[in-house]
Amino acid sequence: MLLNVYVANDHGELKAIPSLFNAEPKFYIKMPDGENAPVFDYKTFPFEIFKDAPTRSKRGKTLDKIKYLDLAVSYDIETTTIADADEPFAFMYNWQYCIEDYVFMGKTWEEWMEFNSIISSTVDLKIYHHEDALCGRALVCYVFNLAFEFQFSRFFMGELINPLITDKYQPLMVPTKNGIVYRCAYRLTNKSLEVFTKGFPHAKLKGDLDYNVIRRKSTKMNDTELAYCYNDVKGLCEALRHRFESDKKYNIASIPLTSTGYVRKDCMNSMNKKARNHAEFLDNKLDAHLYKMCRAAFRGGNTHAAARFCNETIHGTISSWDICSSYPACALTRTFPMTPFKKIENTDNLLKDLDKLSKTFCMLITIRATGVEYIGKTGIPYIAYAKTLTRVCDQKEIKEDNGRIVKCPFLEMTITEIDLKIILRDYKFKNIWVMEAYRSFRGMLPKELRDVILTYYKKKSILKHSDNPDDAYELARNRENLNATYGMMVMRLDRMEFDYIDGNYIMKKKPLQAMLDKFYSTRSSFLSYQWGVWICAWGRYVLDQGTQCCLNADGTSDLIYIDTDSCKFIGDHDAQFEELNKELKANAEKANAVALNKFGEELPIGVFDKEKSYTDFRCLRSKCYIYSYDNGKTIHSTIAGVAKDIGQEFFTKNGFEILTDKLEIPISGKVTAHYNDARPHVITINGDQFTTASSIALIPSAYTIKMNPGHLDYILEIKKSIETYNRKV
C-alpha cells in the first residue's frame, strides 16, 4: 500500500501528498459500515514519512523552545480489571496509536516501548534542558483521558522531563526525554470522546466493550471489538486535525492545555490592550488575610429543594424558568470590587447603613450572631451550614434543612454585602454583630474583559438557530467559551502543586503568602480573585429574585426546587417573572449586553426564559429529583451519582414512587476507582505471562440514595405544620 508523506505546503501548513513509501497492513478490521480499516505493523512501517512535517514553536518570552511537529497523534489502551482480588487491580491487554491517517496496535508494554523508541529515533525526537529552557524536537500525543492512561503507562514512558501535575493522579502534560509529549484531550475539550468525535468518519462507536470479560494478551479480539479500539484513536485524530485547522489563532505549540485556556488567552490579550488594567490588577491584590476572607465568602450556585414538597410526587403543571447565561450576565451587567479593600474601622452602624454603603462599596463582612432562626417565605433557607466557621460545628441545638441552617444558637461567617441583605431579610436574630469588614469601591469590570464575554454571547446567539452544518462547530465553541468565562474567574490561588519524582507524587508545601506572591508576579495573571466571589454572589441574588416571584398573596410559596439559574414551581407566576424580566432587560440594555438571533430578534442577556413545563415531578433533596414531560411515559432523572440514561431507564420502568430514602439502584453508571501503584513486574493470568505495573481498577457499583435523618424529620415537621395551618384556615 502506497503511503502519504507529510510535508509543509507553500504557506508552511501541513500537507499530505502521495509518495512512493510503501507498507502492507498487518491486518484489516471489518468496520460496521463495511470499510476495511488497515492496522499497520510498527516494526516495518516507514515512519520517515513524518520526518519532514512542519514544526511549530511558541512565540515570545518562554522557556519552552521545543519545535513541535504539526501532526495529529493519539494513544489509547484497553484494560481488564480483576475485581475479586484482595486488592483490585487492572492490566493493559491492547494499545492503539494513531498518527494522522495511520493506526498501529500492540499487546504488551515491551511492544509499546519499542514502538516509541522507533518513532523517536526515526523522526529525530528528543527533549533536553539547555540552561533554564526546554529545547528539542517533539511529537505531541493526545490521550483522551490522560489521568487513566498515565496510571498504566507511567513506568514505561522512559524518563519524564518537567511533567505538569495538577493533583495526585491528575497529569495535564507529560513531556518525555524521548521527544513524545502527552497531553489530555479531555481537558482540552471538556467533552466526552463521543461528543468530540461526533460527525467525523471514525466517530466513537456506540456502547462500550464488555468489561466483565477477562481479556489477556492472547485473547483474540473480534472485528467489533477492534473497530471500537480503532475509532477511539482514529476518530480522535480526525477531530483534533479539524480543531487544529479551525483554530487560526493557535497551532500545535501554542494551543491551550485546557478548554478554559482558550478563554483565558482571549481575555488576557484583550485586557493587555490597556496597560492600566494590569496596574490596577496589582493595586487590588489580596494579602493572605483578605484572600482567606474571600475564600470564606466564596460560594457556588444556590441549589435546594423546598422541604414542603420533598418526598412526594407532584402532578399537574410544574413550571421551570431559567436565567439566560446567568454568570456571564452578572459579569456584563453588575458591579464588582474595583479598588483595594480597605478596612472599615468603625462597624457599629454598618448593618443600619448597609443599603446606603452598598450603593458605593462592595464589602467583605464577618458577622457573628446568636439566636439565629429562619423566617423566610420561600422555604429555601439561605445560610449554608458548610460556609459557617468551625466553631458552629459542635452545636447540638442546630436545626438544619439538608445542609441549610433553620435554627441555631450561634454562628459566625464571612459573606458579601449581597448575601448579608438576603440573610437580614430571611432570618431573625437575638443579637448580630459585625466583627470585621472591608470595603472596595464598586464598578463595572474592565471594558476589555466585558467585550470578550459579549462577543462570545453574540456569536452564540446568532449561530443558535443556524441551518448551516458548518456553523455547528462555531456554535459549540462559543457556547463553551461563554460558560468558561466564569470558570477562569473562580480558580483558587492556593491550589496544591505536585512534583512527580521517581514514580511518586510529592506535594509541594508552600506558605499561602508565597503562593499569592507567585500568582501576582506572573505576567499571565490578570483576573482579580474577588471578581469571581462577587459573580457567584450576584448569581445567587438574581436567582433569589426569581424565588420571590413564586410567592402568593397570602405569603405562601409555590417554589419546589432551585438550581443555580433555575426556579421550578407550581401555580401561575408567569406575570411575576415577566415583571422581573423588565428590570433584568433594562440592566442588559444599560450595559449594551443585548445580542440578535438569526431572525433579528433582540436577546438581552440574563433574563429568565420559560422552559418546557413538566407534568410530574418528585424530589428528595438537592441534586436528587425525577420528572416527566408526558404524564410518566418517560421519566427523566437528575441524581448525583446516577448516569442520566441509566436513571431514565430505571425510573421509567419502576415509576415515581420508588424514589425514596435508601433506594438502591443496582446499575448506576457509577464506578469505584482502586489505585494500585505497583512497580513493573511480571504476572500470570489464566496461563498468560506478561509485564504490568501501576493501574486503576474501575469497578461498577450500585448507588444508594441516602437522606440525612435530621432532614427527614424536618420534612415531616414542615408537612405537619402545613396540615395544621390548613385545618385552622
Side-chain angles (χ1 to χ4, degrees):
M1 177 184 291
L2 292 178
L3 308 174
N4 290 328
V5 64
Y6 294 83
V7 297
N9 64 16
D10 294 339
H11 303 287
E13 298 168 339
L14 183 71
K15 180 180 181 181
I17 59 175
S19 75
L20 296 179
F21 282 103
N22 180 66
E24 289 305 313
K26 187 176 182 180
F27 60 90
Y28 288 90
I29 302 170
K30 189 70 172 180
M31 305 297 282
D33 62 358
E35 174 195 5
N36 286 316
V39 175
F40 291 88
D41 186 344
Y42 69 86
K43 294 182 180 180
T44 59
F45 190 85
F47 288 101
E48 293 88 348
I49 65 173
F50 303 116
K51 193 171 183 177
D52 294 324
T55 59
R56 303 283 182 254
S57 300
K58 291 186 177 180
R59 296 179 178 178
K61 295 181 179 179
T62 175
L63 295 178
D64 183 350
K65 306 295 185 182
I66 299 170
K67 295 180 179 180
Y68 296 94
L69 274 72
D70 189 8
L71 295 168
V73 183
S74 63
Y75 158 62
D76 182 43
I77 64 174
E78 303 302 332
T79 64
T80 285
T81 293
I82 305 299
D84 56 0
D86 292 339
E87 291 291 335
F89 67 96
F91 56 84
M92 181 275 294
Y93 66 85
N94 201 81
W95 58 262
Q96 44 270 354
Y97 212 105
C98 181
I99 307 178
E100 286 293 341
D101 298 306
Y102 304 108
V103 173
F104 311 87
M105 292 187 183
K107 290 287 190 180
T108 67
W109 289 120
E110 287 83 0
E111 291 175 335
W112 188 68
M113 289 188 289
E114 183 183 25
F115 171 82
N116 286 334
S117 177
I118 291 172
I119 294 176
S120 181
S121 60
T122 307
V123 190
D124 293 338
L125 305 177
K126 184 180 181 181
I127 298 177
Y128 57 92
H129 277 112
H130 178 67
E131 296 179 347
D132 292 331
L134 281 181
C135 302
R137 175 179 158 98
L139 187 72
V140 175
C141 177
Y142 277 94
V143 185
F144 194 76
N145 183 0
L146 180 58
F148 182 82
E149 264 75 10
F150 182 71
Q151 178 64 4
F152 287 85
S153 312
R154 58 195 176 109
F155 290 111
F156 306 106
M157 287 179 165
E159 189 174 351
L160 311 187
I161 183 165
N162 294 6
L164 178 56
I165 310 292
T166 58
D167 204 343
K168 188 174 183 181
Y169 300 120
Q170 293 297 321
L172 179 58
M173 180 177 66
V174 182
T176 64
K177 285 194 173 181
N178 64 12
I180 300 175
V181 178
Y182 298 91
R183 295 181 188 168
C184 183
Y186 173 72
R187 299 280 288 274
L188 171 72
T189 64
N190 198 29
K191 295 178 179 179
S192 68
L193 183 59
E194 181 177 0
V195 172
F196 186 48
T197 60
K198 184 178 180 181
F200 291 98
H202 295 90
K204 179 176 174 60
L205 294 175
K206 296 288 185 181
D208 284 323
L209 297 179
D210 184 354
Y211 292 107
N212 293 317
V213 176
I214 304 297
R215 298 183 179 88
R216 313 175 310 283
K217 69 174 186 178
S218 64
T219 301
K220 184 172 176 57
M221 299 172 69
N222 60 39
D223 281 338
T224 300
E225 295 166 330
L226 289 169
Y228 176 91
C229 301
Y230 185 94
N231 277 25
D232 275 4
V233 288
K234 186 68 179 290
L236 179 55
C237 276
E238 291 167 347
L240 288 168
R241 172 51 54 197
H242 181 264
R243 173 158 291 199
F244 296 159
E245 294 175 353
S246 300
D247 286 340
K248 301 301 182 183
K249 292 185 290 186
Y250 303 104
N251 57 47
I252 193 69
S254 62
I255 191 170
L257 295 177
T258 66
S259 58
T260 304
Y262 287 95
V263 180
R264 286 188 60 84
K265 288 194 175 185
D266 285 350
C267 292
M268 183 173 64
N269 291 337
S270 183
M271 290 278 281
N272 286 343
K273 294 175 183 177
K274 182 180 176 182
R276 184 59 193 157
N277 284 330
H278 194 73
E280 290 176 350
F281 164 74
L282 294 177
D283 288 343
N284 298 336
K285 67 181 180 181
L286 303 171
D287 61 22
H289 179 65
L290 280 169
Y291 177 70
K292 287 178 181 178
M293 289 189 72
C294 281
R295 283 296 304 155
F298 175 78
R299 177 179 164 190
N302 196 1
T303 302
H304 201 72
R308 65 169 294 195
F309 291 109
C310 286
N311 212 14
E312 68 174 84
T313 304
I314 304 166
H315 303 289
T317 300
I318 300 97
S319 299
S320 181
W321 284 69
D322 294 359
I323 305 170
C324 168
S325 301
S326 175
Y327 288 142
C330 294
L332 292 174
T333 65
R334 303 291 174 169
T335 51
F336 296 82
M338 297 303 293
T339 63
F341 279 105
K342 300 295 183 184
K343 188 169 185 177
I344 301 175
E345 298 297 342
N346 187 345
T347 60
D348 293 345
N349 296 318
L350 191 150
L351 296 178
K352 183 177 68 175
D353 297 336
L354 182 62
D355 287 338
K356 178 182 177 181
L357 289 169
S358 59
K359 290 179 181 178
T360 305
F361 302 110
C362 293
M363 289 178 280
L364 274 173
I365 306 164
T366 299
I367 61 169
R368 182 178 292 173
T370 61
V372 183
E373 185 174 355
Y374 174 68
I375 57 171
K377 297 178 180 179
T378 62
I380 307 286
Y382 189 79
I383 298 177
Y385 181 86
K387 296 305 297 182
T388 58
L389 300 181
T390 53
R391 59 175 56 90
V392 175
C393 297
D394 296 330
Q395 298 181 51
K396 297 179 181 178
E397 300 89 345
I398 291 177
K399 179 189 288 187
E400 61 173 298
D401 172 8
N402 193 31
R404 302 298 178 88
I405 289 181
V406 176
K407 192 174 183 179
C408 75
F410 173 86
L411 69 74
E412 185 172 319
M413 64 190 306
T414 299
I415 50 180
T416 71
E417 81 288 350
I418 300 168
D419 300 299
L420 182 55
K421 288 181 180 182
I422 297 173
I423 289 170
L424 291 176
R425 182 198 68 200
D426 282 1
Y427 286 83
K428 67 178 183 179
F429 310 91
K430 183 177 180 181
N431 292 293
I432 180 170
W433 306 270
V434 174
M435 305 304 297
E436 185 179 20
Y438 289 80
R439 62 170 177 79
S440 167
F441 281 96
R442 64 189 328 130
M444 302 294 286
L445 292 178
K447 182 178 183 299
E448 294 75 19
L449 178 59
R450 286 183 282 126
D451 284 347
V452 176
I453 299 172
L454 184 57
T455 297
Y456 292 152
Y457 177 64
K458 287 184 174 181
K459 286 183 177 179
K460 185 197 83 166
S461 300
I462 198 69
L463 294 170
K464 188 172 182 180
H465 300 287
S466 174
D467 298 324
N468 185 351
D470 294 336
D471 288 338
Y473 173 79
E474 281 300 313
L475 172 61
R477 290 300 309 281
N478 280 282
R479 183 184 288 121
E480 293 164 16
N481 290 347
L482 184 65
N483 293 334
T485 56
Y486 160 73
M488 71 175 182
M489 291 189 187
V490 295
M491 293 288 289
R492 291 183 62 159
L493 309 186
D494 58 342
R495 298 188 304 277
M496 290 295 102
E497 297 180 359
F498 285 82
D499 280 329
Y500 182 79
I501 301 173
D502 191 27
N504 298 306
Y505 295 92
I506 310 297
M507 183 186 296
K508 299 179 184 178
K509 295 183 179 180
K510 292 184 179 180
L512 174 58
Q513 190 59 54
M515 289 190 273
L516 295 176
D517 291 342
K518 179 181 177 181
F519 171 75
Y520 287 110
S521 64
T522 302
R523 186 64 193 178
S524 59
S525 299
F526 65 99
L527 293 170
S528 294
Y529 178 78
Q530 51 267 40
W531 294 347
V533 177
W534 260 261
I535 278 184
C536 292
W538 278 122
R540 294 191 299 274
Y541 171 80
V542 177
L543 183 68
D544 179 78
Q545 288 183 292
T547 68
Q548 301 301 304
C549 292
C550 302
L551 298 178
N552 297 306
D554 62 359
T556 59
S557 173
D558 288 333
L559 186 64
I560 300 173
Y561 189 86
I562 58 171
D563 190 347
T564 307
D565 59 0
S566 174
C567 293
K568 306 181 191 302
F569 56 89
I570 57 174
D572 183 4
H573 297 279
D574 289 3
Q576 291 98 310
F577 276 94
E578 294 293 358
E579 189 64 27
L580 173 59
N581 273 347
K582 293 179 182 179
E583 175 190 332
L584 299 175
K585 181 180 179 182
N587 290 341
E589 290 173 342
K590 183 179 178 181
N592 195 31
V594 179
L596 297 176
N597 64 16
K598 64 173 290 189
F599 309 109
E601 299 167 334
E602 290 189 344
L603 301 175
I605 197 170
V607 300
F608 277 89
D609 291 331
K610 186 175 184 179
E611 302 298 316
K612 186 178 180 180
S613 296
Y614 310 124
T615 58
D616 315 87
F617 191 92
R618 182 180 179 89
C619 66
L620 295 187
R621 50 173 169 75
S622 61
K623 300 297 184 183
C624 185
Y625 64 88
I626 56 178
Y627 56 94
S628 176
Y629 297 108
D630 55 11
N631 297 300
K633 293 178 182 176
T634 301
I635 300 177
H636 308 272
S637 74
T638 297
I639 301 174
V642 179
K644 284 188 176 292
D645 56 340
I646 291 174
Q648 177 179 314
E649 181 180 353
F650 179 86
F651 288 106
T652 299
K653 178 181 178 181
N654 293 286
F656 279 93
E657 301 306 315
I658 197 172
L659 180 62
T660 54
D661 183 34
K662 297 184 175 61
L663 168 67
E664 181 179 287
I665 301 175
I667 301 174
S668 64
K670 177 184 176 183
V671 295
T672 301
H674 296 266
Y675 285 85
N676 182 304
D677 292 325
R679 302 287 168 142
H681 60 284
V682 175
I683 62 172
T684 301
I685 301 291
N686 295 345
D688 260 0
Q689 191 175 75
F690 53 90
T691 302
T692 189
S694 55
S695 67
I696 310 174
L698 299 178
I699 301 177
S701 60
Y703 181 78
T704 300
I705 293 173
K706 296 178 181 178
M707 297 183 69
N708 186 295
H711 185 214
L712 286 168
D713 292 341
Y714 180 71
I715 292 171
L716 185 60
E717 177 186 330
I718 290 295
K719 290 180 183 293
K720 283 184 177 179
S721 67
I722 292 172
E723 289 175 5
T724 302
Y725 173 82
N726 289 338
R727 282 198 297 269
K728 289 180 179 179
V729 172

